[in-house]
Amino acid sequence: MRDFIVKILLICGLYRPMIKIINQIKFKQQVRKMRKNGLEMLSMADKAFNSMGVKAFLSFGTLLGAYRDKGFIAYDPDVDLGVLDANLPENMIEVMAKYGFHLHKQNFIQTTGKVIEDTYIYKGIHLDVFHYFEENNDFYTLVAQLHETKDWKEANASDGFPCEKVSVIKTDFHRQPFLGIEVYMPIKTHEWLVDMYSETYMTPIKNWSEEGHKTRRTKSTERSYRKLYD
């Protein structure tokens, strides 16, 4: 029945509007949970990665909020961290579970088996862990996008999802204060935020899109797939 309804919505051009409404409802629920337990989750994630000898650094919206707003962005529904893929231990999932993190989803490149993003859940909040890879003088990560025409199940069973490649300058990471705790941030945070969000990143824009902004986000030729764990 679910697949039949989705097919009708796709034919009628109503699938994306319906998904947008559902995501808006989920978004508001997640924001409320973030306000309650977001800092606790970030602190526990930092402890978990530190126990593995991994520098898990703030990324995307969480990095932007820390640098610009000195805290979480008020409407941010989750926490974004980055890790250098080459430094990850094989037992990462097991270690994360010991600290209360349940692996919910992984995005991966089917042709290489390369994981590009892990999504963990902690007290109902999503922790998105983006895998960064080295390329010349840059790090880069791949971010899965919505399929051009298909719902996610059909896309996952066929040609996968388009990816956006986000390149940032290579740098090391250092501990910085954040809402009473310490976390890793890129030493070249300003440069990263320009690469991700353009020179205008200090101006808050709730529904920001890269259109009209010069960033280092490009369309990747690789496509990703999802593996669900619950």
Side-chain angles (χ1 to χ4, degrees), residues 162-186:
C163 288
E164 182 180 69
K165 181 179 181 180
V166 183
S167 299
V168 290
I169 190 170
K170 190 181 293 185
T171 186
D172 202 352
F173 308 93
H174 58 171
R175 303 289 280 176
Q176 293 292 292
F178 179 81
L179 298 177
I181 65 174
E182 283 196 346
V183 293
Y184 281 106
M185 293 174 60

Side-chain angles (χ1 to χ4, degrees), residues 134-199:
E134 290 191 37
E135 184 178 65
N136 301 321
N137 293 319
D138 290 333
F139 292 135
Y140 75 91
T141 188
L142 296 171
V143 182
Q145 307 293 301
L146 289 174
H147 192 278
E148 295 86 347
T149 59
K150 301 174 183 177
D151 83 294
W152 80 266
K153 282 192 173 181
E154 185 182 359
N156 208 46
S158 56
D159 59 335
F161 305 87
C163 288
E164 182 180 69
K165 181 179 181 180
V166 183
S167 299
V168 290
I169 190 170
K170 190 181 293 185
T171 186
D172 202 352
F173 308 93
H174 58 171
R175 303 289 280 176
Q176 293 292 292
F178 179 81
L179 298 177
I181 65 174
E182 283 196 346
V183 293
Y184 281 106
M185 293 174 60
I187 291 175
K188 295 184 178 181
T189 291
H190 166 72
E191 289 86 349
W192 274 42
L193 292 174
V194 170
D195 287 342
M196 291 175 171
Y197 298 109
S198 83
E199 293 280 359

Side-chain angles (χ1 to χ4, degrees), residues 33-42 122-123 125:
K33 291 177 182 178
M34 265 291 294
R35 289 173 180 169
K36 183 178 180 181
N37 293 315
L39 183 61
E40 177 187 329
M41 180 179 73
L42 178 57
Y122 180 93
K123 294 188 176 181
I125 312 171

Side-chain angles (χ1 to χ4, degrees), residues 4 21 47 77 82 90 101 112-113 117 133 139 147 157 167 171 174 190 197 202 208 223 230:
F4 174 75
I21 292 172
K47 291 177 182 178
E90 292 184 359
F101 291 87
T112 61
E117 180 186 354
F133 306 88
F139 292 135
H147 192 278
S167 299
T171 186
H174 58 171
H190 166 72
Y197 298 109
M202 288 299 287
W208 184 90
R223 296 180 75 87
D230 57 9

